[in-house]
PDB file of all heavy atoms in Angstrom:
ATOM      1  N   PRO A   1      80.360  60.769 117.454  1.00  0.00           N
ATOM      2  CA  PRO A   1      81.254  59.841 116.751  1.00  0.00           C
ATOM      3  C   PRO A   1      80.830  59.506 115.306  1.00  0.00           C
ATOM      4  O   PRO A   1      81.703  59.378 114.410  1.00  0.00           O
ATOM      5  CB  PRO A   1      81.246  58.579 117.618  1.00  0.00           C
ATOM      6  CG  PRO A   1      80.840  59.122 118.948  1.00  0.00           C
ATOM      7  CD  PRO A   1      79.853  60.218 118.754  1.00  0.00           C
ATOM      8  N   ASP A   2      79.539  59.287 115.067  1.00  0.00           N
ATOM      9  CA  ASP A   2      79.107  59.043 113.753  1.00  0.00           C
ATOM     10  C   ASP A   2      79.394  60.112 112.764  1.00  0.00           C
ATOM     11  O   ASP A   2      79.660  59.856 111.555  1.00  0.00           O
ATOM     12  CB  ASP A   2      77.602  58.639 113.727  1.00  0.00           C
ATOM     13  CG  ASP A   2      77.244  57.357 114.350  1.00  0.00           C
ATOM     14  OD1 ASP A   2      78.225  56.544 114.522  1.00  0.00           O
ATOM     15  OD2 ASP A   2      76.067  57.116 114.710  1.00  0.00           O
ATOM     16  N   LEU A   3      79.343  61.323 113.170  1.00  0.00           N
ATOM     17  CA  LEU A   3      79.616  62.474 112.297  1.00  0.00           C
ATOM     18  C   LEU A   3      81.095  62.522 111.987  1.00  0.00           C
ATOM     19  O   LEU A   3      81.492  62.617 110.799  1.00  0.00           O
ATOM     20  CB  LEU A   3      79.269  63.789 112.994  1.00  0.00           C
ATOM     21  CG  LEU A   3      79.670  65.074 112.228  1.00  0.00           C
ATOM     22  CD1 LEU A   3      78.937  65.110 110.906  1.00  0.00           C
ATOM     23  CD2 LEU A   3      79.355  66.336 112.996  1.00  0.00           C
ATOM     24  N   GLU A   4      81.973  62.267 112.962  1.00  0.00           N
ATOM     25  CA  GLU A   4      83.407  62.227 112.712  1.00  0.00           C
ATOM     26  C   GLU A   4      83.752  61.120 111.714  1.00  0.00           C
ATOM     27  O   GLU A   4      84.534  61.346 110.800  1.00  0.00           O
ATOM     28  CB  GLU A   4      84.211  62.044 114.016  1.00  0.00           C
ATOM     29  CG  GLU A   4      85.662  61.926 113.869  1.00  0.00           C
ATOM     30  CD  GLU A   4      86.378  61.656 115.138  1.00  0.00           C
ATOM     31  OE1 GLU A   4      86.094  62.297 116.168  1.00  0.00           O
ATOM     32  OE2 GLU A   4      87.235  60.697 115.107  1.00  0.00           O
ATOM     33  N   SER A   5      83.157  59.942 111.947  1.00  0.00           N
ATOM     34  CA  SER A   5      83.489  58.824 111.054  1.00  0.00           C
ATOM     35  C   SER A   5      83.055  59.062 109.647  1.00  0.00           C
ATOM     36  O   SER A   5      83.752  58.696 108.696  1.00  0.00           O
ATOM     37  CB  SER A   5      82.880  57.562 111.587  1.00  0.00           C
ATOM     38  OG  SER A   5      81.431  57.539 111.522  1.00  0.00           O
ATOM     39  N   ARG A   6      81.947  59.722 109.450  1.00  0.00           N
ATOM     40  CA  ARG A   6      81.406  59.940 108.055  1.00  0.00           C
ATOM     41  C   ARG A   6      82.231  61.046 107.411  1.00  0.00           C
ATOM     42  O   ARG A   6      82.496  60.971 106.204  1.00  0.00           O
ATOM     43  CB  ARG A   6      79.990  60.341 108.181  1.00  0.00           C
ATOM     44  CG  ARG A   6      79.042  59.141 108.326  1.00  0.00           C
ATOM     45  CD  ARG A   6      77.687  59.538 108.822  1.00  0.00           C
ATOM     46  NE  ARG A   6      76.756  58.337 108.803  1.00  0.00           N
ATOM     47  CZ  ARG A   6      76.760  57.416 109.663  1.00  0.00           C
ATOM     48  NH1 ARG A   6      77.679  57.381 110.656  1.00  0.00           N
ATOM     49  NH2 ARG A   6      75.827  56.384 109.649  1.00  0.00           N
ATOM     50  N   LEU A   7      82.561  62.127 108.117  1.00  0.00           N
ATOM     51  CA  LEU A   7      83.281  63.132 107.540  1.00  0.00           C
ATOM     52  C   LEU A   7      84.820  62.718 107.210  1.00  0.00           C
ATOM     53  O   LEU A   7      85.450  63.437 106.347  1.00  0.00           O
ATOM     54  CB  LEU A   7      83.306  64.425 108.372  1.00  0.00           C
ATOM     55  CG  LEU A   7      81.910  65.154 108.533  1.00  0.00           C
ATOM     56  CD1 LEU A   7      82.032  66.332 109.346  1.00  0.00           C
ATOM     57  CD2 LEU A   7      81.357  65.419 107.120  1.00  0.00           C
ATOM     58  N   SER A   8      85.243  61.757 107.868  1.00  0.00           N
ATOM     59  CA  SER A   8      86.611  61.234 107.567  1.00  0.00           C
ATOM     60  C   SER A   8      86.589  60.056 106.675  1.00  0.00           C
ATOM     61  O   SER A   8      87.646  59.378 106.484  1.00  0.00           O
ATOM     62  CB  SER A   8      87.285  60.992 108.906  1.00  0.00           C
ATOM     63  OG  SER A   8      86.605  59.927 109.602  1.00  0.00           O
ATOM     64  N   SER A   9      85.473  59.694 106.072  1.00  0.00           N
ATOM     65  CA  SER A   9      85.311  58.505 105.296  1.00  0.00           C
ATOM     66  C   SER A   9      85.929  58.649 103.911  1.00  0.00           C
ATOM     67  O   SER A   9      86.187  57.679 103.151  1.00  0.00           O
ATOM     68  CB  SER A   9      83.866  58.055 105.189  1.00  0.00           C
ATOM     69  OG  SER A   9      83.100  59.107 104.470  1.00  0.00           O
ATOM     70  N   GLY A  10      86.153  59.900 103.480  1.00  0.00           N
ATOM     71  CA  GLY A  10      86.727  60.127 102.183  1.00  0.00           C
ATOM     72  C   GLY A  10      88.166  60.445 102.313  1.00  0.00           C
ATOM     73  O   GLY A  10      88.891  60.028 103.265  1.00  0.00           O
ATOM     74  N   ALA A  11      88.702  61.243 101.362  1.00  0.00           N
ATOM     75  CA  ALA A  11      90.106  61.643 101.399  1.00  0.00           C
ATOM     76  C   ALA A  11      90.319  62.756 102.378  1.00  0.00           C
ATOM     77  O   ALA A  11      89.507  63.662 102.613  1.00  0.00           O
ATOM     78  CB  ALA A  11      90.499  62.159  99.975  1.00  0.00           C
ATOM     79  N   THR A  12      91.427  62.670 103.116  1.00  0.00           N
ATOM     80  CA  THR A  12      91.833  63.677 104.022  1.00  0.00           C
ATOM     81  C   THR A  12      93.195  64.211 103.632  1.00  0.00           C
ATOM     82  O   THR A  12      94.169  63.413 103.433  1.00  0.00           O
ATOM     83  CB  THR A  12      91.912  63.143 105.508  1.00  0.00           C
ATOM     84  OG1 THR A  12      90.630  62.725 105.915  1.00  0.00           O
ATOM     85  CG2 THR A  12      92.453  64.184 106.491  1.00  0.00           C
ATOM     86  N   PHE A  13      93.344  65.455 103.524  1.00  0.00           N
ATOM     87  CA  PHE A  13      94.610  66.149 103.140  1.00  0.00           C
ATOM     88  C   PHE A  13      95.070  67.124 104.164  1.00  0.00           C
ATOM     89  O   PHE A  13      94.270  68.033 104.481  1.00  0.00           O
ATOM     90  CB  PHE A  13      94.405  66.825 101.832  1.00  0.00           C
ATOM     91  CG  PHE A  13      94.093  65.945 100.613  1.00  0.00           C
ATOM     92  CD1 PHE A  13      92.775  65.713 100.183  1.00  0.00           C
ATOM     93  CD2 PHE A  13      95.099  65.294  99.889  1.00  0.00           C
ATOM     94  CE1 PHE A  13      92.522  64.962  99.154  1.00  0.00           C
ATOM     95  CE2 PHE A  13      94.860  64.414  98.890  1.00  0.00           C
ATOM     96  CZ  PHE A  13      93.529  64.275  98.513  1.00  0.00           C
ATOM     97  N   ARG A  14      96.308  67.097 104.554  1.00  0.00           N
ATOM     98  CA  ARG A  14      96.917  68.086 105.377  1.00  0.00           C
ATOM     99  C   ARG A  14      97.523  69.135 104.471  1.00  0.00           C
ATOM    100  O   ARG A  14      98.390  68.752 103.560  1.00  0.00           O
ATOM    101  CB  ARG A  14      97.952  67.523 106.355  1.00  0.00           C
ATOM    102  CG  ARG A  14      98.615  68.606 107.170  1.00  0.00           C
ATOM    103  CD  ARG A  14      99.655  68.051 108.060  1.00  0.00           C
ATOM    104  NE  ARG A  14     100.207  69.134 108.928  1.00  0.00           N
ATOM    105  CZ  ARG A  14     101.178  68.957 109.807  1.00  0.00           C
ATOM    106  NH1 ARG A  14     101.698  67.710 110.041  1.00  0.00           N
ATOM    107  NH2 ARG A  14     101.629  69.955 110.500  1.00  0.00           N
ATOM    108  N   LEU A  15      97.203  70.404 104.628  1.00  0.00           N
ATOM    109  CA  LEU A  15      97.783  71.479 103.803  1.00  0.00           C
ATOM    110  C   LEU A  15      99.024  71.940 104.503  1.00  0.00           C
ATOM    111  O   LEU A  15      98.994  72.250 105.728  1.00  0.00           O
ATOM    112  CB  LEU A  15      96.749  72.601 103.544  1.00  0.00           C
ATOM    113  CG  LEU A  15      95.550  72.167 102.753  1.00  0.00           C
ATOM    114  CD1 LEU A  15      94.697  73.405 102.503  1.00  0.00           C
ATOM    115  CD2 LEU A  15      95.852  71.562 101.433  1.00  0.00           C
ATOM    116  N   HIS A  16     100.105  72.053 103.775  1.00  0.00           N
ATOM    117  CA  HIS A  16     101.378  72.538 104.353  1.00  0.00           C
ATOM    118  C   HIS A  16     101.609  74.048 104.002  1.00  0.00           C
ATOM    119  O   HIS A  16     101.199  74.575 103.064  1.00  0.00           O
ATOM    120  CB  HIS A  16     102.506  71.673 103.774  1.00  0.00           C
ATOM    121  CG  HIS A  16     102.344  70.267 104.037  1.00  0.00           C
ATOM    122  ND1 HIS A  16     102.814  69.623 105.182  1.00  0.00           N
ATOM    123  CD2 HIS A  16     101.862  69.205 103.263  1.00  0.00           C
ATOM    124  CE1 HIS A  16     102.561  68.338 105.173  1.00  0.00           C
ATOM    125  NE2 HIS A  16     101.938  68.047 104.005  1.00  0.00           N
ATOM    126  N   GLY A  17     102.304  74.652 104.952  1.00  0.00           N
ATOM    127  CA  GLY A  17     102.668  75.989 104.761  1.00  0.00           C
ATOM    128  C   GLY A  17     103.801  76.202 103.771  1.00  0.00           C
ATOM    129  O   GLY A  17     104.317  75.198 103.157  1.00  0.00           O
ATOM    130  N   LEU A  18     104.154  77.421 103.463  1.00  0.00           N
ATOM    131  CA  LEU A  18     105.115  77.780 102.400  1.00  0.00           C
ATOM    132  C   LEU A  18     106.513  77.887 103.014  1.00  0.00           C
ATOM    133  O   LEU A  18     106.729  78.558 104.015  1.00  0.00           O
ATOM    134  CB  LEU A  18     104.719  79.074 101.745  1.00  0.00           C
ATOM    135  CG  LEU A  18     103.357  79.045 101.001  1.00  0.00           C
ATOM    136  CD1 LEU A  18     103.068  80.462 100.515  1.00  0.00           C
ATOM    137  CD2 LEU A  18     103.346  78.066  99.912  1.00  0.00           C
ATOM    138  N   SER A  19     107.530  77.244 102.346  1.00  0.00           N
ATOM    139  CA  SER A  19     108.913  77.561 102.687  1.00  0.00           C
ATOM    140  C   SER A  19     109.263  78.932 102.098  1.00  0.00           C
ATOM    141  O   SER A  19     108.488  79.502 101.313  1.00  0.00           O
ATOM    142  CB  SER A  19     109.771  76.517 102.010  1.00  0.00           C
ATOM    143  OG  SER A  19     109.734  76.531 100.649  1.00  0.00           O
ATOM    144  N   ASP A  20     110.409  79.427 102.339  1.00  0.00           N
ATOM    145  CA  ASP A  20     110.896  80.752 101.813  1.00  0.00           C
ATOM    146  C   ASP A  20     110.836  80.660 100.254  1.00  0.00           C
ATOM    147  O   ASP A  20     110.369  81.549  99.585  1.00  0.00           O
ATOM    148  CB  ASP A  20     112.247  81.111 102.295  1.00  0.00           C
ATOM    149  CG  ASP A  20     112.178  81.628 103.754  1.00  0.00           C
ATOM    150  OD1 ASP A  20     111.066  81.765 104.243  1.00  0.00           O
ATOM    151  OD2 ASP A  20     113.324  81.815 104.268  1.00  0.00           O
ATOM    152  N   GLU A  21     111.337  79.536  99.708  1.00  0.00           N
ATOM    153  CA  GLU A  21     111.354  79.380  98.229  1.00  0.00           C
ATOM    154  C   GLU A  21     109.906  79.314  97.696  1.00  0.00           C
ATOM    155  O   GLU A  21     109.610  79.952  96.715  1.00  0.00           O
ATOM    156  CB  GLU A  21     112.105  78.085  97.931  1.00  0.00           C
ATOM    157  CG  GLU A  21     112.292  77.822  96.421  1.00  0.00           C
ATOM    158  CD  GLU A  21     113.061  76.588  96.071  1.00  0.00           C
ATOM    159  OE1 GLU A  21     113.814  76.138  96.951  1.00  0.00           O
ATOM    160  OE2 GLU A  21     112.899  76.057  94.914  1.00  0.00           O
ATOM    161  N   ASP A  22     109.082  78.628  98.368  1.00  0.00           N
ATOM    162  CA  ASP A  22     107.676  78.499  97.943  1.00  0.00           C
ATOM    163  C   ASP A  22     107.041  79.955  98.093  1.00  0.00           C
ATOM    164  O   ASP A  22     106.222  80.251  97.223  1.00  0.00           O
ATOM    165  CB  ASP A  22     106.897  77.570  98.839  1.00  0.00           C
ATOM    166  CG  ASP A  22     107.246  76.098  98.564  1.00  0.00           C
ATOM    167  OD1 ASP A  22     107.693  75.813  97.489  1.00  0.00           O
ATOM    168  OD2 ASP A  22     107.022  75.271  99.534  1.00  0.00           O
ATOM    169  N   SER A  23     107.330  80.692  99.062  1.00  0.00           N
ATOM    170  CA  SER A  23     106.764  81.978  99.234  1.00  0.00           C
ATOM    171  C   SER A  23     107.080  82.904  98.050  1.00  0.00           C
ATOM    172  O   SER A  23     106.285  83.608  97.542  1.00  0.00           O
ATOM    173  CB  SER A  23     107.194  82.648 100.550  1.00  0.00           C
ATOM    174  OG  SER A  23     106.774  81.944 101.686  1.00  0.00           O
ATOM    175  N   VAL A  24     108.317  82.823  97.595  1.00  0.00           N
ATOM    176  CA  VAL A  24     108.664  83.641  96.426  1.00  0.00           C
ATOM    177  C   VAL A  24     107.890  83.214  95.221  1.00  0.00           C
ATOM    178  O   VAL A  24     107.354  84.053  94.458  1.00  0.00           O
ATOM    179  CB  VAL A  24     110.206  83.444  96.117  1.00  0.00           C
ATOM    180  CG1 VAL A  24     110.547  84.007  94.780  1.00  0.00           C
ATOM    181  CG2 VAL A  24     111.048  84.150  97.216  1.00  0.00           C
ATOM    182  N   ALA A  25     107.728  81.924  95.023  1.00  0.00           N
ATOM    183  CA  ALA A  25     106.947  81.446  93.900  1.00  0.00           C
ATOM    184  C   ALA A  25     105.526  81.766  94.027  1.00  0.00           C
ATOM    185  O   ALA A  25     104.842  82.047  93.068  1.00  0.00           O
ATOM    186  CB  ALA A  25     107.171  79.913  93.750  1.00  0.00           C
ATOM    187  N   ALA A  26     104.984  81.644  95.250  1.00  0.00           N
ATOM    188  CA  ALA A  26     103.594  81.980  95.406  1.00  0.00           C
ATOM    189  C   ALA A  26     103.299  83.467  95.191  1.00  0.00           C
ATOM    190  O   ALA A  26     102.288  83.840  94.584  1.00  0.00           O
ATOM    191  CB  ALA A  26     103.190  81.584  96.884  1.00  0.00           C
ATOM    192  N   LEU A  27     104.221  84.358  95.642  1.00  0.00           N
ATOM    193  CA  LEU A  27     104.080  85.740  95.323  1.00  0.00           C
ATOM    194  C   LEU A  27     104.077  86.064  93.866  1.00  0.00           C
ATOM    195  O   LEU A  27     103.319  86.857  93.364  1.00  0.00           O
ATOM    196  CB  LEU A  27     105.193  86.568  96.080  1.00  0.00           C
ATOM    197  CG  LEU A  27     104.971  86.895  97.486  1.00  0.00           C
ATOM    198  CD1 LEU A  27     106.328  87.440  98.061  1.00  0.00           C
ATOM    199  CD2 LEU A  27     103.905  87.921  97.762  1.00  0.00           C
ATOM    200  N   GLN A  28     105.031  85.424  93.156  1.00  0.00           N
ATOM    201  CA  GLN A  28     105.095  85.585  91.699  1.00  0.00           C
ATOM    202  C   GLN A  28     103.853  85.161  91.014  1.00  0.00           C
ATOM    203  O   GLN A  28     103.389  85.734  90.030  1.00  0.00           O
ATOM    204  CB  GLN A  28     106.370  84.904  91.133  1.00  0.00           C
ATOM    205  CG  GLN A  28     107.638  85.597  91.641  1.00  0.00           C
ATOM    206  CD  GLN A  28     108.877  84.941  90.965  1.00  0.00           C
ATOM    207  OE1 GLN A  28     109.144  83.755  91.163  1.00  0.00           O
ATOM    208  NE2 GLN A  28     109.592  85.689  90.140  1.00  0.00           N
ATOM    209  N   LYS A  29     103.267  84.037  91.495  1.00  0.00           N
ATOM    210  CA  LYS A  29     102.073  83.440  90.866  1.00  0.00           C
ATOM    211  C   LYS A  29     100.878  84.410  91.069  1.00  0.00           C
ATOM    212  O   LYS A  29     100.120  84.702  90.154  1.00  0.00           O
ATOM    213  CB  LYS A  29     101.807  82.053  91.463  1.00  0.00           C
ATOM    214  CG  LYS A  29     100.615  81.373  90.741  1.00  0.00           C
ATOM    215  CD  LYS A  29     100.419  79.979  91.363  1.00  0.00           C
ATOM    216  CE  LYS A  29      99.336  79.188  90.602  1.00  0.00           C
ATOM    217  NZ  LYS A  29      99.704  78.882  89.209  1.00  0.00           N
ATOM    218  N   ARG A  30     100.798  84.908  92.294  1.00  0.00           N
ATOM    219  CA  ARG A  30      99.695  85.828  92.626  1.00  0.00           C
ATOM    220  C   ARG A  30      99.810  87.124  91.835  1.00  0.00           C
ATOM    221  O   ARG A  30      98.861  87.692  91.264  1.00  0.00           O
ATOM    222  CB  ARG A  30      99.624  86.132  94.098  1.00  0.00           C
ATOM    223  CG  ARG A  30      98.585  87.107  94.514  1.00  0.00           C
ATOM    224  CD  ARG A  30      97.166  86.483  94.470  1.00  0.00           C
ATOM    225  NE  ARG A  30      97.018  85.376  95.452  1.00  0.00           N
ATOM    226  CZ  ARG A  30      96.570  85.541  96.746  1.00  0.00           C
ATOM    227  NH1 ARG A  30      96.212  86.740  97.126  1.00  0.00           N
ATOM    228  NH2 ARG A  30      96.455  84.527  97.509  1.00  0.00           N
ATOM    229  N   ALA A  31     101.087  87.620  91.710  1.00  0.00           N
ATOM    230  CA  ALA A  31     101.284  88.787  90.965  1.00  0.00           C
ATOM    231  C   ALA A  31     101.035  88.634  89.483  1.00  0.00           C
ATOM    232  O   ALA A  31     100.359  89.485  88.877  1.00  0.00           O
ATOM    233  CB  ALA A  31     102.788  89.230  91.120  1.00  0.00           C
ATOM    234  N   ALA A  32     101.380  87.485  88.943  1.00  0.00           N
ATOM    235  CA  ALA A  32     101.102  87.225  87.521  1.00  0.00           C
ATOM    236  C   ALA A  32      99.557  87.168  87.272  1.00  0.00           C
ATOM    237  O   ALA A  32      99.093  87.641  86.273  1.00  0.00           O
ATOM    238  CB  ALA A  32     101.747  85.957  87.099  1.00  0.00           C
ATOM    239  N   TRP A  33      98.895  86.561  88.220  1.00  0.00           N
ATOM    240  CA  TRP A  33      97.492  86.470  88.072  1.00  0.00           C
ATOM    241  C   TRP A  33      96.833  87.891  88.057  1.00  0.00           C
ATOM    242  O   TRP A  33      95.853  88.173  87.373  1.00  0.00           O
ATOM    243  CB  TRP A  33      96.892  85.656  89.268  1.00  0.00           C
ATOM    244  CG  TRP A  33      95.345  85.626  89.251  1.00  0.00           C
ATOM    245  CD1 TRP A  33      94.557  84.801  88.481  1.00  0.00           C
ATOM    246  CD2 TRP A  33      94.440  86.348  90.055  1.00  0.00           C
ATOM    247  NE1 TRP A  33      93.172  85.130  88.731  1.00  0.00           N
ATOM    248  CE2 TRP A  33      93.176  86.038  89.664  1.00  0.00           C
ATOM    249  CE3 TRP A  33      94.644  87.396  91.064  1.00  0.00           C
ATOM    250  CZ2 TRP A  33      92.028  86.663  90.245  1.00  0.00           C
ATOM    251  CZ3 TRP A  33      93.567  87.994  91.612  1.00  0.00           C
ATOM    252  CH2 TRP A  33      92.277  87.595  91.226  1.00  0.00           C
ATOM    253  N   ARG A  34      97.451  88.837  88.846  1.00  0.00           N
ATOM    254  CA  ARG A  34      96.941  90.234  88.836  1.00  0.00           C
ATOM    255  C   ARG A  34      97.483  91.075  87.643  1.00  0.00           C
ATOM    256  O   ARG A  34      97.223  92.201  87.554  1.00  0.00           O
ATOM    257  CB  ARG A  34      97.298  90.846  90.139  1.00  0.00           C
ATOM    258  CG  ARG A  34      96.515  90.350  91.357  1.00  0.00           C
ATOM    259  CD  ARG A  34      96.381  91.337  92.416  1.00  0.00           C
ATOM    260  NE  ARG A  34      95.618  90.969  93.594  1.00  0.00           N
ATOM    261  CZ  ARG A  34      94.328  90.995  93.616  1.00  0.00           C
ATOM    262  NH1 ARG A  34      93.609  91.344  92.600  1.00  0.00           N
ATOM    263  NH2 ARG A  34      93.613  90.523  94.739  1.00  0.00           N
ATOM    264  N   GLY A  35      98.288  90.391  86.818  1.00  0.00           N
ATOM    265  CA  GLY A  35      98.842  91.067  85.648  1.00  0.00           C
ATOM    266  C   GLY A  35     100.098  91.861  85.964  1.00  0.00           C
ATOM    267  O   GLY A  35     100.455  92.806  85.217  1.00  0.00           O
ATOM    268  N   LEU A  36     100.809  91.477  87.080  1.00  0.00           N
ATOM    269  CA  LEU A  36     102.019  92.151  87.412  1.00  0.00           C
ATOM    270  C   LEU A  36     103.198  91.280  87.126  1.00  0.00           C
ATOM    271  O   LEU A  36     103.179  90.050  87.187  1.00  0.00           O
ATOM    272  CB  LEU A  36     101.970  92.469  88.939  1.00  0.00           C
ATOM    273  CG  LEU A  36     100.948  93.458  89.476  1.00  0.00           C
ATOM    274  CD1 LEU A  36     100.905  93.404  90.989  1.00  0.00           C
ATOM    275  CD2 LEU A  36     101.109  94.867  88.993  1.00  0.00           C
ATOM    276  N   ASN A  37     104.340  91.994  86.888  1.00  0.00           N
ATOM    277  CA  ASN A  37     105.607  91.277  86.834  1.00  0.00           C
ATOM    278  C   ASN A  37     106.373  91.487  88.101  1.00  0.00           C
ATOM    279  O   ASN A  37     106.763  92.602  88.364  1.00  0.00           O
ATOM    280  CB  ASN A  37     106.356  91.830  85.555  1.00  0.00           C
ATOM    281  CG  ASN A  37     107.795  91.122  85.511  1.00  0.00           C
ATOM    282  OD1 ASN A  37     107.929  89.922  85.762  1.00  0.00           O
ATOM    283  ND2 ASN A  37     108.795  91.889  85.180  1.00  0.00           N
ATOM    284  N   LEU A  38     106.523  90.467  88.823  1.00  0.00           N
ATOM    285  CA  LEU A  38     107.218  90.569  90.148  1.00  0.00           C
ATOM    286  C   LEU A  38     108.569  89.785  89.990  1.00  0.00           C
ATOM    287  O   LEU A  38     108.617  88.575  90.025  1.00  0.00           O
ATOM    288  CB  LEU A  38     106.446  89.959  91.257  1.00  0.00           C
ATOM    289  CG  LEU A  38     107.043  90.022  92.691  1.00  0.00           C
ATOM    290  CD1 LEU A  38     107.314  91.453  93.100  1.00  0.00           C
ATOM    291  CD2 LEU A  38     106.277  89.225  93.705  1.00  0.00           C
ATOM    292  N   PRO A  39     109.745  90.485  89.779  1.00  0.00           N
ATOM    293  CA  PRO A  39     110.962  89.786  89.665  1.00  0.00           C
ATOM    294  C   PRO A  39     111.316  88.948  90.834  1.00  0.00           C
ATOM    295  O   PRO A  39     110.850  89.321  91.980  1.00  0.00           O
ATOM    296  CB  PRO A  39     111.968  90.919  89.460  1.00  0.00           C
ATOM    297  CG  PRO A  39     111.160  92.171  88.953  1.00  0.00           C
ATOM    298  CD  PRO A  39     109.841  92.010  89.620  1.00  0.00           C
ATOM    299  N   GLU A  40     112.022  87.879  90.709  1.00  0.00           N
ATOM    300  CA  GLU A  40     112.406  87.035  91.839  1.00  0.00           C
ATOM    301  C   GLU A  40     113.149  87.786  92.867  1.00  0.00           C
ATOM    302  O   GLU A  40     112.940  87.511  94.031  1.00  0.00           O
ATOM    303  CB  GLU A  40     113.175  85.784  91.303  1.00  0.00           C
ATOM    304  CG  GLU A  40     113.486  84.743  92.322  1.00  0.00           C
ATOM    305  CD  GLU A  40     114.163  83.538  91.751  1.00  0.00           C
ATOM    306  OE1 GLU A  40     114.065  83.332  90.533  1.00  0.00           O
ATOM    307  OE2 GLU A  40     114.747  82.754  92.531  1.00  0.00           O
ATOM    308  N   ASP A  41     114.039  88.636  92.455  1.00  0.00           N
ATOM    309  CA  ASP A  41     114.874  89.337  93.489  1.00  0.00           C
ATOM    310  C   ASP A  41     113.967  90.254  94.343  1.00  0.00           C
ATOM    311  O   ASP A  41     114.160  90.448  95.547  1.00  0.00           O
ATOM    312  CB  ASP A  41     116.015  90.038  92.866  1.00  0.00           C
ATOM    313  CG  ASP A  41     115.614  91.166  91.855  1.00  0.00           C
ATOM    314  OD1 ASP A  41     114.457  91.092  91.417  1.00  0.00           O
ATOM    315  OD2 ASP A  41     116.438  92.014  91.495  1.00  0.00           O
ATOM    316  N   THR A  42     112.936  90.896  93.755  1.00  0.00           N
ATOM    317  CA  THR A  42     112.030  91.764  94.450  1.00  0.00           C
ATOM    318  C   THR A  42     111.228  90.910  95.399  1.00  0.00           C
ATOM    319  O   THR A  42     111.006  91.295  96.555  1.00  0.00           O
ATOM    320  CB  THR A  42     111.171  92.472  93.503  1.00  0.00           C
ATOM    321  OG1 THR A  42     111.927  93.263  92.622  1.00  0.00           O
ATOM    322  CG2 THR A  42     110.232  93.426  94.244  1.00  0.00           C
ATOM    323  N   ALA A  43     110.721  89.742  94.949  1.00  0.00           N
ATOM    324  CA  ALA A  43     109.969  88.901  95.835  1.00  0.00           C
ATOM    325  C   ALA A  43     110.783  88.433  97.025  1.00  0.00           C
ATOM    326  O   ALA A  43     110.280  88.396  98.175  1.00  0.00           O
ATOM    327  CB  ALA A  43     109.431  87.702  95.060  1.00  0.00           C
ATOM    328  N   ALA A  44     112.033  88.049  96.766  1.00  0.00           N
ATOM    329  CA  ALA A  44     112.898  87.625  97.908  1.00  0.00           C
ATOM    330  C   ALA A  44     113.225  88.837  98.802  1.00  0.00           C
ATOM    331  O   ALA A  44     113.299  88.575 100.056  1.00  0.00           O
ATOM    332  CB  ALA A  44     114.230  87.074  97.240  1.00  0.00           C
ATOM    333  N   TYR A  45     113.288  89.999  98.309  1.00  0.00           N
ATOM    334  CA  TYR A  45     113.500  91.145  99.128  1.00  0.00           C
ATOM    335  C   TYR A  45     112.309  91.368 100.098  1.00  0.00           C
ATOM    336  O   TYR A  45     112.538  91.682 101.266  1.00  0.00           O
ATOM    337  CB  TYR A  45     113.727  92.395  98.240  1.00  0.00           C
ATOM    338  CG  TYR A  45     113.803  93.737  98.994  1.00  0.00           C
ATOM    339  CD1 TYR A  45     114.950  94.029  99.740  1.00  0.00           C
ATOM    340  CD2 TYR A  45     112.753  94.593  99.034  1.00  0.00           C
ATOM    341  CE1 TYR A  45     115.017  95.178 100.500  1.00  0.00           C
ATOM    342  CE2 TYR A  45     112.793  95.757  99.801  1.00  0.00           C
ATOM    343  CZ  TYR A  45     113.900  96.092 100.430  1.00  0.00           C
ATOM    344  OH  TYR A  45     113.991  97.283 101.187  1.00  0.00           O
TER     345      TYR A  45
END
């Protein structure tokens, strides 16, 4: 119990998954980081 209370004493964030719209944006962001141009229609495809 003491470990649980200490590790939860700061900020706790739930990370959410990606919607379809978010997935397109995430793919484009990753592609841009790799130096690629990923058109939105290709990402959606």
Side-chain angles (χ1 to χ4, degrees):
D2 286 344
L3 176 61
E4 179 185 311
S5 66
R6 281 162 173 74
L7 293 181
S8 60
S9 62
T12 297
F13 295 97
R14 179 181 182 181
L15 298 184
H16 299 276
L18 300 173
S19 65
D20 286 352
E21 183 178 338
D22 287 337
S23 294
V24 169
L27 278 169
Q28 290 184 298
K29 186 176 183 69
R30 180 72 66 89
W33 177 79
R34 290 207 178 277
L36 297 169
N37 176 38
L38 180 65
E40 184 174 344
D41 60 344
T42 303
Y45 173 75

